[in-house]
Every structure is written in C-alpha cells, then in structure tokens.
C-alpha cells in the first residue's frame, strides 16, 4: 500500500464538528444506562463535605470516567477523548478531566466502599440483562489473586517497596467470576499498600466475591480457586460460611510433603493435556503428568479443632526434566515435582485437577488491566487510585457484557479487541427531524456485529 497523492496535494484540518472517533460508545453507554449505572451512583455515592463542589453530580462524573476507560483512557488527562467533535450531540453531562480529577481526589475510604456497592449492583444488572455468565445456575468459579502495579512517584500514597527489590508498587487484590463456558468478569477489587501481604484482607474479599456471585445469578455450585498464598483457615472458613466450595493450591509444606510421599505408586493416574501447559516451577511446557488423591487430609492440624478442615488433597506430579541424567543408563529412579491442592470439589479426581488448573484465567484479567486503564494509577492520593481501580472494574464488566450481546467471537474476545472492533469506530452525525443518524465507514469489517449490538440495546425494553 502507498499514498495515492503527492505530499503537496494532501492537507489536514481539525474543523469538522459532525465527526466522532468513538461511535461505539453510543450502544455501550446505552447498555450502561439500561443497567442503571447513573441511577445506582446517584443513590449510593454521596461525597458530603467535599471541597470545590467535588461531590456534585457524582453520577455524571462516574459515567464520564467509565466511558473514557471504555474508549481506552489510562490516565485522567486521557479522559479528554470524550470532548471532541460531535460528542456533545450524543452525550450530555460529560465532565472535563480537571473536574474528574478533583472528584477522584475527594474520595475517602468510606466513599470507596460506596463505589464498591455500585459496582456490585451494576454487575448484577449486567448479568440480568445480558448473557454474561452462561451456565451460572449450574456451576461458577470465583478466582482470587493479587498483582503488583509499579508506580514511580515518590509522593504517591501507599507506594512501597514490597516483593520486588528496588521497585515501588501498589498491590491490588481482585476476585473474578467465570463459568466453564464464559470469560471472567470482576466481582470485587481492593487496592492495598505495596508491601501488604498477598493474603491480607483475603477472607473479607472472598466473602464479598461469593455474595456478589450469588447476586449475579450464580445460584448453582460456587467454587473458589486460588494460589498457595491464599491457603489459610480464614479463606476456607469464608467459603464454608457462604455455602461455597474451595480449590486452593497448598504448596509442599512439611505436613503435605509427608502425606504426598506416603501415596502408593499404584495410586497415580496418567493424565494427558490436549494443549501443553506451563509448569508453575520452571515455566517449561508439559503435556503429560500423573495425578493421585488423598481422600481425607486434615489441614491446619496445629490449630484448634473448630478451625481444622478435612477434605481432599489432590496431587499432580511431573517429571523433573531439569535433573540431568547420570551415566550411560540415565536415571535409575525418576525424579518428580509435586503440585498439590486442597479441595472439597465433588468432581472426579482428573476433572477436579483440570478445573483447578484453569484458575490461570485470572491472569488474563490482570494482563488486560495493565494494558488498559491500569497502565497507570494516575493520582498521588491513595483513595483516588482506589476509586480508579473500582471504576476500571465497572468499565471492564461493561465491555464484557457488550461483547456477550454482540457475537460468539466477541463474547470471548479481549477488551482490547472489543475496543478496536466495536468502540473505536469513526462516525459522522447527520440531523433530520429531531433525529440523529450515525454514518459509519462503508465496508467496516465488523459492521454486522456492531449493528447487532446497536439494535439490541436500542430496542424497547421487554415488559416486566
């Protein structure tokens, strides 16, 4: 491909007041309206006592930030993408980035909890209006994980040296919900100081995530999946109180090691993965392993009896290929690496192992966050960044719901793909007889998907 005209015959001017760069915001924010984002914010978020009228019209400011994140904004200044061309003809109440920054800096811990309540109810409405979590009435998985977000400002509140030497971070904790046939959505998030322990606040977050899952239609079996840092009595107790099951990696502590080494050689079952999976210790791709089970293992035996838990200990072992062969005959006995997890999942052993390994889907959400709104935590105020994190979770769930309404492909696509296909579509606005028509590019590759989303959210709501 090459330019069709000489350089001297091409010019540019930013002067068209009838163009918009993000026509996909029209159906996506219409979906947000149908699910009550503005109404819920007006009911729950009250920034009383905030200076400079920062708390006024909280619903308009929250929807402006969510819309900016849907369009790809990853900083407060980037929210200015909402104020160009004919956007004022399509949306009312768009606020300037300076106003939105003042709004975020007015947040306290209590106001962040109010925003959490909005997020929780908004997710329930999205699940009720879209096929966001198919099969949730049968089985749903709740994943818990943490991540570190590097920050550079020395005065940024809560930024500390934690796990990574010489790197100042903040430490978000998040929980997601998925079903065997759906992509994960975000149940709840928490922002913590950089040196906070991975499991700090996890039992409370697990309780909230399980309750949110129930509100979002997960009325069947709920299974919490987590890595070894969340293997503690508090997390499992939270699952038991909520009537949920658990599947948590437990690592090779001395008690588990004794139990694993006592497994008879005849108890191991061969498992072959249809696609190679990375080994959690070495990162090498493996396609074969062996699995065995201890039906009744008692965890936390050193605690008082009421805190001890007896359930299944399922162990996967893989050959330790890093150990070199000795002599011409190679190894006399195979060397194994063991990966145990503790669970009360009632599924057969091999199915329970496959389901537990699928916990890695939460990493997709974390990677997605750092490629979008969490590329930065934009404020020096801790609670402003906490609010930003919650608003990103709302924008993420909104995009996932829009994708679920669009097509089978977009149901599973990443949010970056959803933005490229559905949101970042240029359009020219034409007005006639008090109606607005969006003229979009001819031969847009995803025209039918976009039109289906637009028609779905703009048809009259069904009678109650």
């Amino acid at each position: 491909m090459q330019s069709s005209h000489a350089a001297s015959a091409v010019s540019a001017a930013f002067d068209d007041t009838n163009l918009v760069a993000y026509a996909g915001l029209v159906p996506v924010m219409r979906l947000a309206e149908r699910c009550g984002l503005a109404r819920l914010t007006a009911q729950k978020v009250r920034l009383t006592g905030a200076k400079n009228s920062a708390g006024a019209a909280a619903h308009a400011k929250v929807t402006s930030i969510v819309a900016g994140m849907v369009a790809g904004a990853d900083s407060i200044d980037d929210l200015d993408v909402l104020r160009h061309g004919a956007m004022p003809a399509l949306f009312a109440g768009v606020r300037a980035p300076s106003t939105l920054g003042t709004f975020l800096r007015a947040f306290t811990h209590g106001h962040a909890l109010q925003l959490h309540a909005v997020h929780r109810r908004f997710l329930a409405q999205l699940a009720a209006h879209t096929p966001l979590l198919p099969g949730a009435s049968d089985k749903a998985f709740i994943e818990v994980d943490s991540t570190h977000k590097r920050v550079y400002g020395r005065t940024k509140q809560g930024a500390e040296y934690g796990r990574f030497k010489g790197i100042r971070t903040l430490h978000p904790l998040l929980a997601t919900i998925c079903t065997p046939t759906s992509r994960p959505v975000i149940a709840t998030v928490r922002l913590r100081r950089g040196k906070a322990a991975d499991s700090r606040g996890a039992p409370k977050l697990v309780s909230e995530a399980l309750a949110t899952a129930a509100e979002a239609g997960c009325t069947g079996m709920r299974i919490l999946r987590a890595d070894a840092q969340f293997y503690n009595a508090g997390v499992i107790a939270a699952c038991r109180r909520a009537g949920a099951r658990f599947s948590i990696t437990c690592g090779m502590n001395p008690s588990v090691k004794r139990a694993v080494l006592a497994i008879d050689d005849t108890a191991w079952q061969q498992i072959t993965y249809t696609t190679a999976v990375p080994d959690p210790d070495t990162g090498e791709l493996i396609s074969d392993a062996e699995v065995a089970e201890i039906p009744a293992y008692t965890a936390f035996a050193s605690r008082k009896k009421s805190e001890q838990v007896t359930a299944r200990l399922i162990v996967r072992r893989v050959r330790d290929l890093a150990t070199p062969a000795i002599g011409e005959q190679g190894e006399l006995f195979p060397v194994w690496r063991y990966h145990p997890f503790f669970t009360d999942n009632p599924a057969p052993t091999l199915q329970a192992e496959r389901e537990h390994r699928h916990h890695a889907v939460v990493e997709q959400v974390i990677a997605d966050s750092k490629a979008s709104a969490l590329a930065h935590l934009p404020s020096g105020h801790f609670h402003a960044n906490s609010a930003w994190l919650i608003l990103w979770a709302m924008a993420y769930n909104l995009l996932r719901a829009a994708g679920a309404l669009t097509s089978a492909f977009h149901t599973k696509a990443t949010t970056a793909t959803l933005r490229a296909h559905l949101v970042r579509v240029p359009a020219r606005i034409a007005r006639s007889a008090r109606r607005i028509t969006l003229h979009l590019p001819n031969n847009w590759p995803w025209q039918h998907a976009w039109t289906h989303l637009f028609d779905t959210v703009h048809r009259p709501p069904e009678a109650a």
Side-chain angles (χ1 to χ4, degrees):
M1 186 173 71
Q2 63 183 20
S3 300
S4 59
H5 292 73
S8 59
V10 178
S11 61
F14 289 87
D15 58 0
D16 198 321
T17 58
N18 291 316
L19 291 179
V20 294
Y22 302 100
L25 284 176
V26 175
V28 172
M29 295 312 294
R30 178 72 68 179
L31 176 60
E33 290 175 15
R34 285 202 167 195
C35 295
L37 177 57
R39 173 179 52 82
L40 291 169
T41 303
Q43 292 173 353
K44 298 293 181 181
V45 180
R46 302 185 182 279
L47 275 69
T48 55
K51 299 179 180 179
N52 301 323
S53 301
H59 62 287
K61 295 169 184 176
V62 164
T63 51
S64 292
I65 296 173
V66 168
M69 289 178 171
V70 167
D74 61 15
S75 68
I76 294 174
D77 284 344
D78 281 355
L79 297 173
D80 213 17
V81 298
L82 301 178
R83 301 197 306 160
H84 70 272
M87 290 293 280
L90 296 175
F91 300 100
V94 176
R95 297 302 195 263
S98 58
T99 302
L100 299 176
T102 302
F103 170 68
L104 291 172
R105 288 188 293 273
F107 270 73
T108 64
H109 176 66
H111 297 136
L113 293 180
Q114 294 174 2
L115 200 57
H116 272 296
V118 175
H119 164 75
R120 180 171 171 172
R121 287 160 179 78
F122 184 51
L123 175 58
Q125 288 297 311
L126 288 173
H129 286 79
T130 68
L132 189 59
L133 294 167
S137 59
D138 180 32
K139 181 185 288 187
F141 298 100
I142 292 85
E143 329 285 345
V144 179
D145 206 349
S146 65
T147 185
H148 285 265
K149 178 57 194 156
R150 184 174 187 175
V151 296
Y152 297 90
R154 294 182 177 274
T155 60
K156 197 177 286 279
Q157 292 178 349
E160 296 170 334
Y161 297 115
R163 177 185 299 174
F164 304 102
K165 185 176 180 180
I167 297 177
R168 189 180 285 106
T169 67
L170 288 168
H171 194 177
L173 180 66
L174 72 159
T176 64
I177 308 169
C178 70
T179 68
T181 58
S182 76
R183 292 271 295 203
V185 296
I186 300 171
T188 187
V189 289
R190 289 287 186 276
L191 186 64
R192 304 173 303 168
R193 296 164 55 193
K195 65 179 181 182
D198 285 335
S199 61
R200 181 178 179 180
K204 185 175 181 180
L205 181 124
V206 165
S207 296
E208 181 178 337
L210 291 170
T212 302
E215 293 175 3
C218 301
T219 55
M221 184 188 301
R222 292 167 297 159
I223 302 176
L224 176 83
R225 299 188 294 202
D227 287 332
Q229 61 263 37
F230 301 101
Y231 175 66
N232 61 63
V235 169
I236 293 178
C239 294
R240 292 283 174 90
R241 286 194 301 270
R245 299 181 181 272
F246 58 86
S247 183
I248 304 176
T249 302
C250 53
M252 288 291 284
N253 62 49
S255 174
V256 171
K257 186 173 182 179
R258 286 193 298 271
V260 169
L261 295 180
I263 298 175
D264 191 270
D265 282 341
T266 61
W268 295 96
Q269 304 177 58
Q270 184 75 22
I271 184 171
T272 301
Y273 305 120
T274 54
T275 57
V277 297
D279 185 280
D281 291 338
T282 66
E284 295 178 351
L285 293 177
I286 58 174
S287 57
D288 294 291
E290 295 181 354
V291 179
E293 175 183 346
I294 300 172
Y297 172 79
T298 300
F300 320 117
S302 61
R303 291 175 171 265
K304 58 185 180 181
K305 190 159 183 145
S306 61
E307 295 180 352
Q308 297 176 13
V309 182
T310 300
R312 308 164 71 186
L313 184 68
I314 298 177
V315 188
R316 175 170 59 92
R317 70 178 187 180
V318 296
R319 296 288 295 273
D320 188 355
L321 301 179
T323 302
I326 301 175
E328 295 181 359
Q329 295 181 336
E331 59 183 1
L332 182 61
F333 299 103
V335 179
W336 302 93
R337 286 196 307 278
Y338 297 93
H339 308 289
F341 65 96
F342 189 52
T343 182
D344 61 354
N345 184 349
T349 303
L350 296 185
Q351 180 183 339
E353 195 279 333
R354 278 191 291 266
E355 289 180 348
H356 177 78
R357 186 166 28 85
H358 196 58
H359 163 67
V361 296
V362 70
E363 298 294 343
Q364 299 173 1
V365 179
I366 293 172
D368 188 290
S369 73
K370 294 180 179 179
S372 57
L374 292 197
H376 307 92
L377 287 167
S379 178
H381 295 252
F382 182 85
H383 296 303
N385 287 326
S386 182
W388 183 267
L389 180 68
I390 302 165
L391 291 163
W392 159 72
M394 293 184 193
Y396 177 92
N397 290 345
L398 178 58
L399 273 171
R400 290 255 58 88
L405 282 179
T406 302
S407 69
F409 170 81
H410 292 97
T411 297
K412 298 293 183 72
T414 65
T415 57
T417 299
L418 295 177
R419 288 188 188 93
H421 292 189
L422 305 177
V423 178
R424 294 172 178 166
V425 188
R428 179 175 58 83
I429 291 178
R431 301 171 179 84
S432 176
R434 298 185 180 180
R435 294 178 60 86
I436 288 179
T437 301
L438 294 174
H439 293 275
L440 294 98
N442 185 32
N443 292 328
W444 182 255
W446 306 281
Q447 171 185 340
H448 297 297
W450 195 97
T451 303
H452 178 71
L453 173 63
F454 184 89
D455 292 343
T456 301
V457 299
H458 281 82
R459 68 168 60 113
E462 297 179 1

